[in-house]
Amino acid sequence: MTSTGTRTGSFAGHKPGSHDGQDSPEQTRDDLIELAAAADDQLADLIRLYYRYIPPEEIIDHEPVDLVGTVRSHRRLAEQRVPGRPAVRVFNPDENNDGWSTAGTIVQIVTDDMPYLVESVSAELVRSGLQVHRVVHPIVVVSRDVAGSLRDILTSAVADDPPQDALAESWMSVEVDLITDADRSREIESGLQHVLNDVREVVEDTAKMAGTARALADQLEAGPQVDEAQALEGA
């Protein structure tokens, strides 16, 4: 994520990728994330969760303001999501309007956590003729009302075991080649919507098939026992 423009305020003096030669890349990454978290108290915990598992080389050359801007825009996208449907946005962040910028175009997605998401989204973007430069993919536990409005982000919750009335969502932010044509951006959004719906159908069908297979296996295991019981009764 390459940024432009002058950086001031909380980030004054920060030089992307700079350190004293003693810090490890992991420490440099962690320090950068803490700089970003310190810049926005309301988003601090989400910023830490968002970049928790990102490889150091993915962000140590970026500005803290861009890390904050990525999370802030993603949270706005997550404000409203119809249950069972993905939210997708393809856009070019602008320094004046958004407070951050990138060299490429940003694709942001909020959807239920499912297998095959990164592979399916990346394949669709490549099929559309785009090169994927960076993927950030945190699993975020949220609470929503029945209409899909975001009530809370549970940054300390365990994604594999979310609290009651909460769910785990995949928040994907992908940087791709710069797209300047609005029609093409809309086409990519539509294509990703279709792909994500296809993934949901595959996952749901797989779960149904697995359930059917388990039921058949149970029947097969029970069958001989029933036959043996009947044979004993007839003896």
Side-chain angles (χ1 to χ4, degrees):
M1 186 172 7
T2 303
S3 55
T4 58
T6 302
R7 303 297 192 241
T8 58
S10 300
F11 309 123
H14 170 74
K15 296 180 180 180
S18 65
H19 51 86
D20 60 10
Q22 297 179 350
D23 291 342
S24 67
E26 290 77 13
Q27 185 60 54
T28 302
R29 173 201 58 196
D30 294 346
D31 291 345
L32 180 58
I33 292 171
E34 285 304 313
L35 273 174
D40 193 321
D41 291 339
Q42 292 184 337
L43 288 179
D45 289 339
L46 180 58
I47 289 170
R48 295 185 182 101
L49 170 65
Y50 198 91
Y51 296 109
R52 180 179 296 170
Y53 299 114
I54 193 168
E57 63 271 14
E58 292 287 334
I59 65 168
I60 59 176
D61 290 328
H62 304 313
E63 293 278 5
V65 67
D66 296 330
L67 303 189
V68 176
T70 300
V71 176
R72 186 178 292 136
S73 65
H74 217 153
R75 192 192 186 286
R76 282 198 296 267
L77 177 65
E79 284 289 341
Q80 183 67 43
R81 184 174 76 87
V82 177
R85 296 185 184 177
V88 181
R89 185 188 181 200
V90 178
F91 69 109
N92 298 325
D94 177 78
E95 189 76 36
N96 294 324
N97 296 325
D98 303 300
W100 65 293
S101 62
T102 61
T105 289
I106 298 297
V107 177
Q108 290 189 329
I109 295 168
V110 178
T111 190
D112 296 318
D113 186 34
M114 298 177 288
Y116 319 125
L117 286 175
V118 173
E119 297 86 350
S120 300
V121 167
S122 298
E124 173 62 16
L125 292 170
V126 171
R127 187 198 65 78
S128 299
L130 296 169
Q131 181 177 352
V132 174
H133 298 286
R134 189 175 72 122
V135 178
V136 187
H137 181 217
I139 308 301
V140 183
V141 178
V142 304
S143 173
R144 296 186 180 274
D145 64 21
V146 293
S149 297
L150 185 66
R151 291 190 302 195
D152 196 10
I153 298 176
L154 310 175
T155 53
S156 61
V158 178
D160 290 337
D161 186 24
Q164 189 175 5
D165 298 328
L167 70 154
E169 295 183 334
S170 284
W171 289 24
M172 295 181 61
S173 186
V174 187
E175 184 175 350
V176 298
D177 298 331
L178 182 65
I179 304 168
T180 57
D181 183 84
D183 289 338
R184 191 178 184 212
S185 293
R186 285 190 288 270
E187 289 174 0
I188 291 168
E189 283 187 10
S190 178
L192 288 170
Q193 292 275 3
H194 286 301
V195 165
L196 292 167
N197 288 332
D198 288 345
V199 171
R200 175 181 296 280
E201 291 181 4
V202 168
V203 170
E204 290 177 349
D205 287 346
T206 300
K208 291 177 183 177
M209 292 173 63
T212 300
R214 284 193 296 270
L216 289 172
D218 292 340
Q219 291 176 13
L220 290 172
E221 289 178 0
Q225 297 173 3
V226 171
D227 291 340
E228 291 171 6
Q230 291 174 343
L232 288 172
E233 289 175 359

